[in-house]
Amino acid sequence: MGSGGKSPSVRGCGHKGVANMGGRYLVCLSLVMNVVLLTSLVYGRGHVRKKGREMVAGNQICLQERDGSGEEEHAKFCRAAGKASSCNNSSSSLPASPAKLPSDAIINLDHGDPKLFEAFWRDAVGKRGDTFIPGWQAMSYFSTNAAGTVCWFLEPSLEQEVRRLHRLVGNAEAAADRHVVVGTGSTQLFQAALYALSPPDAPHPVSVVSAAPFYSSYPLVTDYLKSGIYKWAGDAYAFNEIPRHERGPYIELVTSPNNPDGFKREQVVEGNDGKLVYDLAYYWPQYSPIISSIDADIMLFTASKSTGHAGTRIGWALVKDKEVARKMTKFIELNTIGVSKDSQIRTAKILGAISDAYERETAPESEKFFHYSRDLMRQRWKSLRDAIEFRGRFSLPEFPTEFCNFFGEEGSSYPAFAWAKCEAEEVDDCAAYLKANGILTRSGKHFGVDPKYVRISMMDRDDAFNLFIERMSKL
Ligand SMILES: Cc1ncc(COP(=O)(O)O)c(C=O)c1O
């Protein structure tokens, strides 16, 4: 090393004749590369493009979209910055594919973890959804929204892409007069909606109901904090039997298509004295024909199921009434002081990549997310029906053929979950029976119905799904 205890410095770049000149030369080269690459990133030269649409001058959000040729630039940037962790979202730093399951593995199909779409987002087409966020960006709590935006932490790019995607798909009314509220998953928005719709000073908590079989999280999430303003009141069909004057105020959750059984739903409780929250997590073309554009007061959506990005924890609500949107925003402000900007930016990019592919006239169907994902779901449902048909020990729901406005053709539903019934007389607890055969599912009892039913996730990776089909065909 250098004499006099001095550590090598930039000054050493011009120093010749020292023993480790090669090392210093590399340091210099690396520094020069840093400057060149950073300049390239900041000014958008080389192959790294800035997309004008993604520049929001007010809050200085800037995303660099990396096209195919920008990959290497990005990888170099990551190496030069020496901060692998900040570059971990690059697929180049991930293994080519997750480790394969051994053939005797327990298959966990209890959770609805949407890993089946990973393959789409890994390949060349999906890479259009990659996001790179420099360390200095999106640091503020606040977003610089257009005048009139109620949700003060909503990223403008996310709002824009949410409205654009709904326009493309035609599943829900998302024109400018609807307020967009972003949440940490639709789970947070669900709670925000309960908060916004429950009068703070009523003598009794508002009843929250949903038709059985209902999504198993509703009772848990509604009651875990023992709120004084709302409480879980169970099956909406049973609630509907109570004479009207005895019911008191209520909120009905309408989940369509429904989790767990995949059927489309309408409100169940008769009369118009209740409030409705539509949970439309699965009203996307890969799961269900899009038969109309829903125009409800509060509609909840989530990236978890629409694109498969559960890990971003982004959901959004489309809300008609400004005051309700304001109260939902207040709930999230009190709960988490907003919603991760990084996640919002990433989600905006993903949604935009989907819409872009549909706007590219020349794009083949394999590049179009909803075509790709619908075909995948259709194949999976066919495999499952084929596997259980012969022995007749399980039954599955049958779905009607409906005209899908999005695909412009007739089609069936291919839900994210299979709601299966054990038909064998000796099996009372279907989940326990499947567990004994290496398949974890969620029992019907968590959805307010008989344990002869189970909910099975159809959204795991190929290897888990294929093992599942192999086992089912032998039961
Ligand atoms: C009907 C329904 N609503 C909401 C959610 C939760 O979504 P998020 O991941 O956005 O919290 C789920 C997740 O399984 C769901 O099935």
Side-chain angles (χ1 to χ4, degrees):
M1 297 301 287
S3 60
K6 275 190 190 158
S7 57
S9 66
V10 175
R11 201 166 58 85
C13 283
H15 191 93
K16 291 181 186 159
V18 292
N20 63 349
M21 196 183 96
R24 288 188 179 181
Y25 176 72
L26 282 177
V27 171
C28 295
L29 186 65
S30 153
L31 283 168
V32 169
M33 269 178 64
N34 265 333
V35 172
V36 170
L37 285 168
L38 283 167
T39 308
S40 156
L41 283 166
V42 171
Y43 294 103
R45 297 213 175 107
H47 296 296
V48 182
R49 284 189 288 132
K50 267 184 207 157
K51 267 189 130 186
R53 198 156 45 76
E54 284 155 351
M55 294 296 294
V56 182
N59 60 354
Q60 295 187 303
I61 294 304
C62 124
L63 291 182
Q64 279 84 19
E65 183 192 13
R66 291 180 290 112
D67 58 20
S69 50
E71 281 287 295
E72 186 49 25
E73 300 284 344
H74 179 76
K76 274 188 210 159
F77 175 85
C78 294
R79 284 195 298 272
K83 291 209 165 83
S85 62
S86 67
C87 296
N88 273 350
N89 67 349
S90 161
S91 56
S92 57
S93 65
L94 292 170
S97 60
K100 284 262 178 298
L101 280 177
S103 60
D104 59 350
I106 305 251
I107 311 160
N108 190 344
L109 302 177
D110 175 345
H111 302 285
D113 199 13
K115 291 179 285 200
L116 81 168
F117 302 136
E118 275 174 0
F120 179 88
W121 295 108
R122 263 173 196 276
D123 79 7
V125 183
K127 280 197 169 64
R128 293 176 197 267
D130 285 4
T131 307
F132 170 65
I133 305 172
W136 54 269
Q137 287 189 339
M139 292 174 70
S140 169
Y141 283 116
F142 299 92
S143 298
T144 309
N145 303 107
T149 304
V150 171
C151 185
W152 56 265
F153 44 81
L154 171 63
E155 275 304 310
S157 59
L158 181 63
E159 175 174 7
Q160 180 184 314
E161 294 302 346
V162 159
R163 294 191 197 278
R164 183 176 172 219
L165 192 68
H166 285 297
R167 231 178 8 253
L168 172 78
V169 173
N171 55 349
E173 291 305 304
D177 58 344
R178 303 303 145 108
H179 304 279
V180 178
V181 180
V182 64
T184 300
S186 72
T187 300
Q188 189 181 37
L189 289 164
F190 161 60
Q191 295 167 79
L194 297 186
Y195 170 81
L197 296 177
S198 304
D201 43 13
H204 303 290
V206 172
S207 297
V208 180
V209 298
S210 188
F214 41 73
Y215 174 38
S216 50
S217 286
Y218 290 153
L220 304 173
V221 172
T222 305
D223 278 350
Y224 80 115
L225 285 179
K226 301 199 188 313
S227 162
I229 58 171
Y230 53 78
K231 69 167 189 330
W232 177 248
D235 178 20
Y237 288 109
F239 189 80
N240 192 42
E241 297 300 312
I242 301 172
R244 270 197 202 186
H245 63 278
E246 288 176 23
R247 276 182 204 159
Y250 67 90
I251 298 168
E252 180 177 348
L253 307 166
V254 182
T255 313
S256 185
N258 190 36
N259 173 358
D261 63 16
F263 287 107
K264 289 198 178 71
R265 283 193 157 174
E266 300 286 350
Q267 77 179 85
V268 161
V269 183
E270 288 155 25
N272 50 12
D273 44 349
K275 306 268 174 51
L276 299 177
V277 176
Y278 275 72
D279 186 339
L280 302 177
Y282 302 97
Y283 194 43
W284 294 98
Q286 66 268 46
Y287 306 117
S288 159
I290 302 300
I291 56 170
S292 64
S293 181
I294 298 185
D295 183 15
D297 288 352
I298 302 183
M299 300 182 278
L300 307 183
F301 293 91
T302 167
S304 305
K305 312 299 160 153
S306 53
T307 69
H309 291 82
T312 61
R313 305 306 304 124
I314 290 293
W316 61 93
L318 301 175
V319 184
K320 248 186 217 175
D321 184 85
K322 191 169 187 175
E323 199 42 39
V324 172
R326 204 188 297 285
K327 284 189 184 158
M328 289 177 70
T329 302
K330 189 71 189 170
F331 175 90
I332 295 168
E333 178 186 322
L334 295 173
N335 194 222
T336 44
I337 324 182
V339 173
S340 161
K341 292 285 169 54
D342 297 359
S343 284
Q344 292 190 57
I345 290 166
R346 182 172 177 214
T347 305
K349 193 68 193 299
I350 300 274
L351 302 188
I354 294 175
S355 297
D356 287 349
Y358 282 96
E359 281 173 13
R360 265 197 312 277
E361 303 243 311
T362 52
E365 284 195 353
S366 59
E367 294 187 10
K368 295 176 172 166
F369 177 72
F370 293 121
H371 284 74
Y372 169 93
S373 50
R374 189 265 316 254
D375 290 352
L376 190 54
M377 295 306 296
R378 184 163 50 192
Q379 279 164 26
R380 288 193 166 196
W381 271 88
K382 182 172 185 324
S383 307
L384 179 58
R385 288 191 192 280
D386 289 352
I388 63 169
E389 189 181 37
F390 182 64
R391 297 169 65 85
R393 288 172 63 82
F394 297 92
S395 61
L396 291 169
E398 295 293 338
F399 299 101
T401 298
E402 295 167 301
F403 188 81
C404 176
N405 296 332
F406 178 74
F407 289 123
E409 62 190 29
E410 299 272 327
S412 186
S413 290
Y414 307 107
F417 299 100
W419 182 236
K421 185 179 179 197
C422 274
E423 294 291 350
E425 248 179 50
E426 73 278 11
V427 180
D428 290 329
D429 185 338
C430 197
Y433 173 67
L434 288 173
K435 187 176 177 185
N437 287 284
I439 304 166
L440 303 185
T441 59
R442 195 169 294 183
S443 168
K445 67 182 183 213
H446 297 292
F447 303 89
V449 298
D450 203 287
K452 266 187 121 36
Y453 287 87
V454 284
R455 189 194 75 171
I456 306 170
S457 169
M458 297 289 278
M459 296 186 285
D460 209 328
R461 296 190 180 106
D462 280 350
D463 57 347
F465 183 76
N466 294 339
L467 261 184
F468 159 64
I469 293 297
E470 196 185 309
R471 286 182 198 169
M472 289 297 276
S473 66
K474 292 179 188 153
L475 291 180

